[in-house]
Amino acid sequence: MARTASTTIQSLGSLLKSARDIMRKDKGLNGDLDRLPLLTWIMFLKFLDDLELQREGEAQLAGKPFKPAIEAPYRWRDWAAQADGITGDELLAFINNEETTRPDGTRGQGLFRYLRSLSGTGGDDRREVIAAVFQGVDNRMKSGYLLRDVINKIGAIHFTASDEVHTLGALYESMLREMRDAAGDSGEFYTPRPVVRFMVAVTDPRLGETVLDPGSGTGGFLVEAYNHLASQVKTVADRKILQEQSLFGCEPKPLPYLLCQMNLLLHGLDAPQIDPGNALRHKLTDIGERERVDVILTNPPFGGEEERGIQGNFPDDKQTAETALLFLQLIMRKLRRQGGKARAAVVVPNGTLFGDGVCARIKEELLTGFNLHTIVRLPNGVFAPYTGIPTNILFFDRSGPTREVWYYEQPLPQGRKNYTKTAPVQFEEFAPCMEWWQKREENAFAWKVPASELLANNCNLDRKNPQAKKDIAHLPPEEIAAGILDKERRIMEIVENIQRLLMEGAR
C-alpha cells in the first residue's frame, strides 16, 4: 500500500481553516460553539474509519477475523470518501432522517439514528463509545452542498499515519483553546495545560491504579494522565491495563463530552470510558469501595448551582447549591480507603478556603478524615481571561488525619504583574515547586500551619505567606492597586456566599 504524504501542521491548519470558512457561509451555524462540534464529529468518523482500516489490515495479516465497529453502508468510506459522492438534500437526509435511502440505494436508518443505536458485543465497547458520543450530536448545517465541501476537506486528513495523528493532536489542542475562548462567556473554564501537567506530575499515577476526573470537560487531565501512564508500559499486559482499567471520566454536557472523546482517541486511548451523566447524581452514601478509585485529578465546575434533587444526595448538614463544594464531597467519598495511598489533586476557588457554614463543615471532614498535606496557591490570572477568581490546588490523600498543611505560593515570573491570554502560565515555572515537593523546607514561598490551628479557626484555610509581609508605604502604586482589587474580589466572594446562604434559607 502506498504511503500517503505526511501532512504538516501548517497544511493541516490551513485545511481546517478552509473547512471553518465554508461553515461560516451556512445559515444554520452560529459561531464557533456550533462550528467546532460539527467539525469534530466529522473528524471523529473519519478517524474511526482510518483506524478500522488499519485494524482490519492487521487482522488479515494475523489470520484473525475482524468485526468492524461501524458496518456498511455507514462507514466513512461508503458515503463520505468520494469527493463527488452524495450531496445536497440527499446528504442531509442520509445524516439527519430516522429512515432514508442510503448511499447503496437501499432503505434503512439514517446515519445518526444508526450510530446512536450501536451496542457493544463480545467485550467490544468501542460501539458503546460511538453510540454515547452521538447521543448528544446533531447536524445544524442547512446546506448539504456546503456540508459536502466540509466533508471533502476533512477527507484529506489521513489518520493512519502516526506522525499525522501527532500533528493533528497538536492542532487539536489549539482548537480546544478556541472552543474554550468561545465558551468562556457561558461559564465554561478549562484548566491550562501547564497546571494540568504539574498536578499529574506531583500526584504521579502508577500503572495499575485507577484515575478519575469526575468533571472531565474536554479531557485535559485524562490525556495527561494517559501520557504519564503510557511511559510506564513495558508489556502487552501493561498496555491492556492502560487501555481498559486505568482512566475514567464524567462529563454531562454534549459539546465537552464529544471533544473529550475525540481528544482521548487522538492521543491513543482506544475506547474512552467517559460517563455522560452528572457525576453528582448518585447518593453519596451509596458509593462503596467498589466504586472508589486510587487517584482523582480534576478542576470541578465552580460558581454554578445544583438543583434540589442533586443536593438531596448529600448529608443534611452539608447540602449546598455550590457545585464546587458538592464535588469536593464526592471526591472525598470516591477515594479508595484500603491501603491509604489513594490521593487527589483538586482546583478550588479562593472562596472554598475561607468559606464558613456548610463549607467549614466539609473542610473539617477533609482535615480530620484525610491528610490535606499541601495547598498550592496559584497567582492571579492563571485562568485569564476566562475568570479573575483566585484559585488554589488542594492535594490530599487517605494516609490519615491532617497533622499540618504545607502552603506553597506559586509566584509570578519576575517582572510580571499577571498572566494574560497571550502570555499564559508555562510548565517550566512550576520547576522550583516540584523540586521543593520532595524535600520540604520553609522558604520565601513555602510555609506550614498545624492542623489544630486551622481546626480551631473554623477551618479557615486562607492563610497568607508570612514571609510576604511588606510595609505598604514602600510598595509601588501598581502593587497597592492590585492588592486593593484583590481585596475587593474577596469581599465580593464573601457577599456572594452570604447571598447564596440567604437564598438557600429562604427556600
Side-chain angles (χ1 to χ4, degrees):
M1 185 184 293
R3 168 74 163 83
T4 307
S6 179
T7 309
T8 65
I9 194 165
Q10 290 81 12
S11 60
L12 193 55
S14 175
L15 184 153
L16 291 177
K17 181 181 182 301
S18 297
R20 291 164 74 182
D21 287 343
I22 293 166
M23 287 188 283
R24 286 189 175 91
K25 301 174 186 176
D26 192 271
K27 305 300 183 185
L29 303 180
N30 182 25
D32 275 342
L33 281 178
D34 282 347
R35 288 190 285 267
L36 285 176
L38 184 136
L39 194 59
T40 300
W41 71 251
I42 295 173
M43 287 198 299
F44 186 96
L45 291 175
K46 175 64 165 70
F47 172 75
L48 281 173
D49 197 50
D50 283 351
L51 192 62
E52 295 264 280
L53 282 166
Q54 182 178 334
R55 290 190 166 188
E56 188 174 3
E58 292 169 354
Q60 287 175 351
L61 286 173
K64 296 179 179 178
F66 176 76
K67 181 174 175 56
I70 298 177
E71 306 274 2
Y74 299 102
R75 302 169 302 181
W76 177 276
R77 71 197 85 160
D78 300 319
W79 63 272
Q82 295 298 321
D84 58 353
I86 59 171
T87 188
D89 291 342
E90 184 183 1
L91 176 60
L92 291 178
F94 171 66
I95 291 173
N96 298 337
N97 290 0
E98 293 288 297
E99 187 176 339
T100 185
T101 299
R102 301 180 296 188
D104 62 357
T106 62
R107 293 287 293 179
Q109 293 176 311
L111 178 65
F112 278 5
R113 183 181 178 187
Y114 166 79
L115 295 173
R116 291 169 185 151
S117 69
L118 291 173
S119 59
T121 55
D124 177 16
D125 55 1
R126 181 182 296 277
R127 293 164 67 91
E128 302 277 4
V129 169
I130 297 167
V133 163
F134 281 89
Q135 291 300 327
V137 168
D138 58 14
N139 169 45
R140 296 188 180 182
M141 286 192 76
K142 300 292 187 184
S143 169
Y145 298 101
L146 290 175
L147 180 55
R148 164 51 67 182
D149 290 342
V150 172
I151 288 168
N152 288 347
K153 291 291 182 184
I154 301 304
I157 304 173
H158 301 284
F159 293 92
T160 45
S162 59
D163 50 354
E164 286 190 338
V165 172
H166 177 76
T167 300
L168 188 69
L171 190 73
Y172 199 70
E173 289 298 322
S174 70
M175 288 176 61
L176 291 181
R177 285 195 295 274
E178 290 184 44
M179 199 285 296
R180 179 185 63 195
D181 294 348
D185 290 340
S186 59
E188 295 289 343
F189 308 119
Y190 297 90
T191 317
R193 179 50 56 88
V195 176
V196 173
R197 285 186 64 193
F198 164 69
M199 291 169 66
V200 173
V202 296
T203 307
D204 190 24
R206 308 309 299 167
L207 192 64
E209 292 184 317
T210 47
V211 180
L212 169 70
D213 181 353
S216 301
T218 56
F221 282 101
L222 295 175
V223 165
E224 196 61 39
Y226 175 85
N227 293 336
H228 187 86
L229 293 171
S231 66
Q232 303 167 34
V233 170
K234 306 296 182 188
T235 66
V236 173
D238 286 348
R239 174 172 167 74
K240 184 176 175 65
I241 290 170
L242 172 62
Q243 288 290 340
E244 299 178 6
Q245 304 169 30
S246 297
L247 299 168
F248 304 88
C250 193
E251 179 49 56
K253 296 186 178 180
L255 172 56
Y257 179 83
L258 171 62
L259 292 166
C260 181
Q261 294 281 2
M262 183 72 175
N263 200 8
L264 288 162
L265 283 164
L266 276 174
H267 284 84
L269 189 63
D270 291 343
Q273 299 182 63
I274 310 299
D275 179 353
N278 186 343
L280 304 174
R281 69 187 186 276
H282 302 294
K283 196 169 184 64
L284 208 63
T285 52
D286 289 346
I287 299 172
E289 193 67 16
R290 290 184 62 183
E291 290 78 44
R292 295 191 175 107
V293 297
D294 300 298
V295 181
I296 297 178
L297 296 154
T298 192
N299 176 12
F302 53 82
E305 290 195 5
E306 290 292 341
E307 60 186 78
R308 279 286 184 181
I310 294 294
Q311 295 178 46
N313 291 328
F314 294 82
D316 291 343
D317 64 335
K318 292 171 185 167
Q319 292 184 9
T320 172
E322 171 54 53
T323 311
L325 296 179
L326 297 179
F327 265 93
L328 186 55
Q329 293 181 75
L330 173 71
I331 292 160
M332 291 156 62
R333 182 77 183 188
K334 290 283 283 187
L335 281 182
R336 196 182 306 282
R337 291 177 176 176
Q338 297 172 356
K341 295 181 179 180
R343 54 208 181 276
V346 186
V347 177
V348 297
N350 245 26
T352 302
L353 265 57
F354 60 72
D356 54 14
V358 170
C359 184
R361 289 193 287 275
I362 295 168
K363 288 182 290 185
E364 181 181 9
E365 181 185 354
L366 180 60
L367 289 167
T368 57
F370 299 79
N371 177 24
L372 176 63
H373 54 82
T374 312
I375 298 177
V376 173
R377 311 214 64 172
L378 296 173
N380 289 342
V382 167
F383 285 83
Y386 316 108
T387 177
I389 297 174
T391 50
N392 311 267
I393 311 173
L394 306 183
F395 295 89
F396 55 92
D397 60 41
R398 277 284 194 181
S399 64
T402 307
R403 294 190 180 90
E404 61 188 19
V405 178
W406 277 97
Y407 289 80
Y408 191 98
E409 187 172 57
Q410 178 66 18
L412 282 161
Q414 193 167 6
R416 293 281 300 279
K417 296 173 185 175
N418 52 39
Y419 292 113
T420 64
K421 181 178 175 180
T422 55
V425 62
Q426 301 296 315
F427 178 65
E428 293 72 21
E429 295 166 23
F430 289 100
C433 182
M434 293 173 68
E435 185 177 349
W436 165 86
W437 196 269
Q438 301 302 329
K439 295 183 177 180
R440 302 189 171 201
E441 293 181 353
E442 292 191 339
N443 58 37
F445 305 110
W447 68 101
K448 59 184 176 181
V449 179
S452 57
E453 182 179 324
L454 297 169
L455 287 164
N457 193 30
N458 199 28
C459 300
N460 184 355
L461 304 177
D462 187 24
R463 294 307 180 96
K464 301 296 180 288
N465 186 349
Q467 305 297 324
K469 293 178 181 176
K470 298 178 182 177
D471 182 354
I472 192 169
H474 296 93
L475 290 176
E478 59 270 18
E479 194 167 333
I480 295 173
I484 293 171
L485 288 172
D486 184 50
K487 284 183 172 60
E488 287 179 350
R489 276 195 295 269
R490 291 167 190 262
I491 291 169
M492 287 303 298
E493 286 179 0
I494 294 170
V495 170
E496 288 172 2
N497 282 337
I498 292 171
Q499 289 174 335
R500 186 178 294 115
L501 289 170
L502 289 173
M503 288 176 65
E504 288 177 4
R507 286 173 182 166

